[in-house]
Amino acid sequence: MPSIVRAVLSAVTASCVVIGAAGCVQTPAPLPSGTASSSAPPRPFTVLTEQRANTTDPAGGRNDSDAMVTLDLFQRLMLVQPSTQLLKPDLAKECLFTAAQVYECTLPKDVVFTSGRGLTSADVKFSILRAIRLAPQKMSMLAALRSIETPDDTTVRFRLKYPDNQFGFGLAVPAASIVDHVAYDSDKLRPVEQAPIGTGPYQLDSWDSKGLTIARYARYRGPLGTDMPRIRIAWSDSPTAEEALTDAKAEIVWRTLSPAAIDRLQNRIVQDQDDGRPAGYFRWGLPRVVLQRLVWLSRSPYRANASLRNAVALALQEDRTASSILPSMIEGHTDTFALGGEPKMPKLEPGIALALRFTDSSPAMEDLANHVRDTLQQKLGITVQLVTESERADLELRDSAPMVNTAVGWLQDYLKNPLPGSAGKLSNLEERIRSSSREDVQQPALVEIQKQAAADATVVPIAETDGVLFLRQRVDLVGEAFGPGWQLALWGARWRN
């Protein structure tokens, strides 16, 4: 495995120990071979999240909740556990390089879609090409793809433009999920009103204005089987989620709680432990898996203004705690953005008015958006207006998961939208990293990309923070409990014995 994608499990485990006093218990245990012996309570297993899912089409996902739904309803050829960066088959029986620029996957013969039709290599080819056409940015990890061949129903042969050590990881991202080519339109996203057709461990049971319900798919064939017959995923604000967790009306609360609610819950856990009482819930350890960043959107007329981009980066320097667009827990991280101090602010031309939006993943993002707006206005003398996530904007605050938890995966925010003057250089550097397994080749290229990111300032890091995931004490997460970029995947949910 290339040096820049080595496991980061040791860092995660060490951080979990630090958090342990506040209720962090473990990272996912190995997937059990049998089924859980305890029975589910009368109401469905319930997951609460503030971030609403918008689609069941893998090519249409816009946020981490969309990714969660996709991960549960569909399969991908490959699977990645983010804590170890271990790449292994999911839908495929095996995938391997048969030549330097040929990646070949063999499919099982007994996989059946929820439509009742058997899956073949034609579905895989259709799904990958469809996703590249409908969602090219989400499929940028497959940039080396030249063509796809299907010599028989169980063989998929990918021919590449150059040797690519990241290609298998690209086949594990949510957008690369396999759909039924007979049922899906090759040029349009599937509406929510039409039932999704996949081969994942779950199938959609219902979707309404308050959330969705998924049910175990009896004909699922793969490594991620679940014992949970039904799971309800409901949209919730922070006060409702906090109350539901303390009153045992929800099993999992994900990316919903305000900073104050998180502090209250963790304090109650500590108090219960001090009083010798079993806490009713605990926080799952996800240390520093979230990178908050400010991204210039490609349609902004101000994006080409280098002085303004650099001024924005300088204005955020005093509060910045993340020093690169590559998180410090990933091998290859290099400090390229200055931290702290009181940098001198440049003088900008008058009349600049920017629109800033933010991903609605948690209440903390709204607080951060207000802080960033106030900082830019006070230090730069410009106007910044907060707009909704669906409105056009110049800047966007993001804390969404990367496509996959590797160095190249984290860099896609920057690499897939380069400035015209940097595009050629960045393309060559990325190909150099992907096509070599030598650290003395990869490392300098990786450092140069991070330096260029600081010079371009189209993606500005703000802070590395912990993921927010609370579970009831009766609940556990086992096996490959998260998607490739730390997205919650419900196939790992179990009742504790």
Side-chain angles (χ1 to χ4, degrees):
M1 181 176 293
S3 58
I4 63 169
V5 297
R6 287 183 200 148
V8 293
L9 182 58
S10 58
V12 174
T13 303
S15 300
C16 191
V17 170
V18 173
I19 299 174
C24 169
V25 293
Q26 60 186 37
T27 50
L31 196 66
S33 56
T35 58
S37 58
S38 56
S39 58
R43 65 170 173 77
F45 186 99
T46 301
V47 178
L48 299 182
T49 181
E50 183 177 52
Q51 188 180 67
R52 292 172 177 254
N54 304 287
T55 181
T56 61
D57 193 320
R62 301 200 302 265
N63 60 40
D64 291 346
S65 287
D66 290 333
M68 174 175 63
V69 172
T70 294
L71 290 168
D72 290 325
L73 300 184
F74 300 88
Q75 285 179 282
R76 291 135 299 280
L77 289 175
M78 300 298 288
L79 171 74
V80 181
Q81 187 173 26
S83 61
T84 63
Q85 298 176 341
L86 179 65
L87 183 65
K88 64 182 184 180
D90 180 8
L91 170 63
K93 289 174 63 177
E94 67 173 4
C95 288
L96 48 85
F97 279 97
T98 58
Q101 294 174 221
V102 179
Y103 194 70
E104 192 166 296
C105 296
T106 304
L107 308 176
K109 297 179 180 180
D110 58 348
V111 178
V112 179
F113 285 107
T114 52
S115 62
R117 195 182 66 80
L119 181 147
T120 70
S121 58
D123 297 294
V124 174
K125 178 177 180 178
F126 169 85
S127 300
I128 299 298
L129 294 180
R130 174 181 184 267
I132 290 173
R133 184 165 54 254
L134 295 178
Q137 292 189 337
K138 297 181 184 69
M139 298 292 283
S140 59
M141 291 290 287
L142 298 184
L145 179 64
R146 184 184 299 278
S147 63
I148 305 177
E149 300 170 0
T150 53
D152 56 56
D153 284 351
T154 60
T155 303
V156 184
R157 185 175 297 134
F158 300 96
R159 295 196 179 274
L160 310 183
K161 302 170 188 174
Y162 53 83
D164 184 10
N165 55 53
Q166 295 289 292
F167 194 80
F169 291 93
L171 294 175
V173 303
S177 297
I178 308 307
V179 301
D180 184 341
H181 85 273
V182 173
Y184 279 68
D185 192 309
S186 62
D187 298 309
K188 292 190 300 184
L189 295 176
R190 190 172 181 84
V192 172
E193 295 75 25
Q194 295 183 11
I197 299 175
T199 62
Y202 298 98
Q203 58 185 329
L204 184 66
D205 181 76
S206 64
W207 184 303
D208 55 59
S209 61
K210 296 181 179 181
L212 64 145
T213 302
I214 57 178
R216 184 174 58 196
Y217 179 40
R219 301 184 72 178
Y220 166 75
R221 298 292 180 270
L224 301 171
T226 177
D227 297 310
M228 213 56 70
R230 193 176 303 273
I231 295 179
R232 175 67 177 172
I233 304 168
W235 322 134
S236 172
D237 58 19
S238 179
T240 302
E242 183 180 2
E243 181 180 0
L245 191 63
T246 56
D247 293 346
K249 294 179 180 178
E251 279 64 57
I252 296 178
V253 173
W254 182 56
R255 301 191 72 165
T256 302
L257 300 163
S258 69
I262 294 169
D263 288 343
R264 284 192 296 269
L265 290 169
Q266 293 190 153
N267 289 338
R268 288 172 195 155
I269 292 172
V270 173
Q271 187 62 54
D272 284 346
Q273 291 173 342
D274 290 344
D275 294 342
R277 296 190 304 264
Y281 47 84
F282 62 96
R283 183 171 179 175
W284 191 271
L286 294 171
R288 304 182 77 178
V289 301
V290 176
L291 177 64
Q292 296 172 339
R293 54 210 185 271
L294 184 66
V295 180
W296 281 93
L297 300 176
S298 57
R299 292 185 178 180
S300 170
Y302 288 106
R303 188 174 187 259
N305 186 331
S307 297
L308 178 59
R309 294 196 314 271
N310 290 324
V312 167
L314 281 174
L316 299 175
Q317 179 178 318
E318 183 178 356
D319 295 329
R320 182 183 300 122
T321 58
S323 59
S324 174
I325 62 172
L326 186 63
S328 57
M329 67 184 295
I330 301 296
E331 187 168 354
H333 164 90
T334 300
D335 295 335
T336 52
F337 281 82
L339 305 178
E342 296 182 1
K344 184 178 179 181
M345 293 298 110
K347 191 173 241 184
L348 299 173
E349 57 188 66
I352 294 176
L354 301 177
L356 170 65
R357 69 188 188 195
F358 57 95
T359 53
D360 61 347
S361 55
S362 72
M365 288 300 286
E366 184 172 2
D367 294 341
L368 180 61
N370 281 292
H371 178 73
V372 168
R373 176 199 59 195
D374 294 345
T375 298
L376 296 182
Q377 290 188 150
Q378 292 168 9
K379 293 190 174 183
L380 300 180
I382 63 177
T383 300
V384 180
Q385 179 186 8
L386 293 185
V387 298
T388 64
E389 192 173 15
S390 60
E391 293 182 87
R392 293 193 64 169
D394 301 288
L395 294 161
E396 182 174 71
L397 273 171
R398 296 178 185 171
D399 67 347
S400 52
M403 293 184 182
V404 63
N405 190 41
T406 67
V408 175
W410 275 105
L411 292 173
Q412 291 305 298
D413 244 3
Y414 170 59
L415 294 175
K416 68 188 179 186
N417 284 313
L419 293 172
S422 302
K425 174 182 178 180
L426 293 174
S427 178
N428 290 335
L429 289 169
E430 183 178 8
E431 182 175 338
R432 195 180 307 168
I433 294 169
R434 287 174 175 258
S435 60
S436 175
S437 59
R438 292 174 49 188
E439 186 171 354
D440 62 343
V441 173
Q442 292 178 333
Q443 189 66 23
L446 191 56
V447 169
E448 190 58 34
I449 288 176
Q450 292 172 84
K451 287 182 177 179
Q452 190 64 47
D456 290 345
T458 55
V459 179
V460 179
I462 297 175
E464 296 178 22
T465 64
D466 298 342
V468 180
L469 177 65
F470 279 83
L471 281 67
R472 292 290 304 170
Q473 281 292 358
R474 288 190 61 204
V475 177
D476 203 355
L477 294 177
V478 300
E480 316 294 346
F482 298 91
W486 292 109
Q487 307 94 337
L488 179 63
L490 297 175
W491 59 61
R494 296 288 191 279
W495 295 112
R496 289 182 182 270
N497 289 328

